[in-house]
């Protein structure tokens, strides 16, 4: 089992404040909380299942989170505010470990993952936007079992779409899309190894590549629009 201090040390190597540069991004910004906790001796991550009554992404598995609002101080504020609204997680109960670079979502939003420990005995109190809450061993996102993938195209670029099946208490959950991508990346950072499937993942190079893309494609556009 990876200890809390080892998790903290490994994640803080990649902590960034780059997301603050994009708060004025025209298509909008968002933040998600990647809540880590220990369960039965394993490091788990908590995930939501969205209600079928919400306006978008009905029934999908996701992290607690949502769009930034004008009163939010930063991405951490956004992630904690949304987590409290969605599952009743008090901000003071979250031990923030860091943020990683924002990722572009298909909607156009820039989404910043905020990673933190939550109490191991946390009992969620989901609101109307959340149909279910479950935890899943983080290391599962590095295992080939129950993993599938397919190619997808976004803005003319071909990318790999990861899907993970997970059974818990008689239910089957499918984690895919940006949520699966972020979970896979966080697992690679925490365990310092590549997934069993696909090509070897150089996490440092990948994060640097995303940061460079944001610099060239997003920050440059934001600056030119201000001229």
């Amino acid at each position: 089992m990876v200890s809390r201090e080892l998790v903290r040390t490994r994640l803080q190597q990649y902590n960034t404040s780059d997301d603050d540069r994009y708060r004025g991004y025209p298509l909008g910004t968002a933040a998600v909380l990647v809540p880590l906790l220990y369960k039965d001796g394993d490091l788990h991550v908590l995930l939501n299942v969205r209600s079928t009554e919400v306006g978008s992404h009905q029934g999908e598995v996701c992290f607690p989170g949502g769009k930034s609002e004008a009163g939010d101080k930063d991405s951490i504020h956004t992630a904690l505010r949304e987590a409290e609204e969605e599952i009743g997680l008090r901000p003071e109960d979250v031990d923030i470990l860091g943020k990683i670079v924002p990722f572009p979502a298909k909607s156009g939003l820039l989404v910043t993952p905020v990673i933190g420990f939550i109490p191991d005995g946390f009992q969620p109190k989901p609101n109307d936007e959340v149909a279910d809450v479950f935890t899943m061993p983080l290391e599962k996102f590095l295992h080939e079992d129950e993993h599938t993938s397919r190619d997808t195209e976004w803005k003319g670029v071909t990318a790999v779409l990861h899907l993970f099946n997970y059974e818990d208490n008689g239910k089957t959950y499918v984690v895919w899309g940006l949520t699966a991508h972020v979970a896979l990346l966080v697992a690679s950072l925490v365990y310092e190894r590549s997934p069993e499937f696909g090509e070897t993942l150089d996490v440092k190079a990948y994060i640097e590549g995303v940061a460079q893309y944001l610099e060239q494609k997003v920050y440059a556009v934001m600056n030119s629009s201000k001229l």
Side-chain angles (χ1 to χ4, degrees):
M1 181 182 76
V2 287
S3 68
R4 288 178 180 270
E5 287 311 308
L6 188 56
V7 172
R8 185 186 306 277
T9 298
R10 289 177 174 175
L11 288 175
Q12 287 185 343
Q13 296 179 64
Y14 300 92
N15 188 31
T16 181
S17 59
D18 280 359
D19 59 299
D20 294 332
R21 305 174 67 193
Y22 304 110
R23 289 184 64 79
Y25 182 54
L27 295 181
T29 58
V32 295
L33 180 66
V34 182
L36 303 179
L37 69 160
Y38 289 93
K39 183 177 179 182
D40 300 327
D42 289 328
L43 183 62
H44 278 232
V45 60
L46 181 144
L47 294 154
N48 290 350
V49 179
R50 288 176 62 82
S51 165
T52 56
E53 303 301 319
V54 294
S56 60
H57 307 291
Q58 297 95 336
E60 293 185 8
V61 174
C62 63
F63 293 113
K67 293 181 181 179
S68 304
E69 295 183 355
D72 294 343
K73 298 175 183 177
D74 52 25
S75 296
I76 293 176
H77 189 149
T78 301
L80 294 181
R81 174 182 55 75
E82 288 283 342
E84 184 172 29
E85 292 175 4
E86 292 178 5
I87 57 174
L89 178 63
R90 299 186 306 175
E92 59 266 31
D93 288 339
V94 183
D95 178 9
I96 297 296
L97 301 172
K99 301 177 291 184
I100 52 178
V101 293
F103 293 95
K106 288 190 73 173
S107 63
L109 290 171
L110 283 183
V111 182
T112 298
V114 177
I115 310 164
F117 277 123
I118 66 173
D120 294 343
F122 171 67
Q123 296 296 318
K125 299 175 183 176
N127 68 4
D128 293 342
E129 298 177 10
V130 179
D132 198 4
V133 181
F134 68 100
T135 71
M136 178 175 172
L138 182 65
E139 198 171 11
K140 285 280 188 183
F141 290 99
L142 300 178
H143 293 171
E144 191 169 9
D145 295 344
E146 305 301 330
H147 166 265
T148 57
S149 65
R150 64 173 184 262
D151 289 340
T152 185
E153 188 171 305
W154 182 68
K155 293 189 175 181
V157 177
T158 300
V160 178
L161 181 71
H162 296 283
L163 301 95
F164 297 88
N165 292 324
Y166 180 64
E167 292 189 7
D168 185 51
N169 291 325
K171 300 178 182 178
T172 300
Y173 301 97
V174 181
V175 187
W176 67 286
L178 185 60
T179 301
H181 183 79
V182 170
L184 188 161
L185 183 59
V186 172
S188 296
L189 295 176
V190 167
Y191 292 100
E192 290 193 331
R193 70 175 193 266
S194 296
E196 296 171 351
F197 45 84
E199 299 178 2
T200 300
L201 176 63
D202 184 334
V203 176
K204 183 177 180 180
Y206 178 78
I207 289 179
E208 289 175 349
V210 173
Q212 186 177 33
Y213 169 85
L214 294 173
E215 179 75 27
Q216 294 175 349
K217 302 294 186 180
V218 177
Y219 194 62
V221 170
M222 288 174 60
N223 280 344
S224 65
S225 67
K226 295 176 183 177
L227 298 178

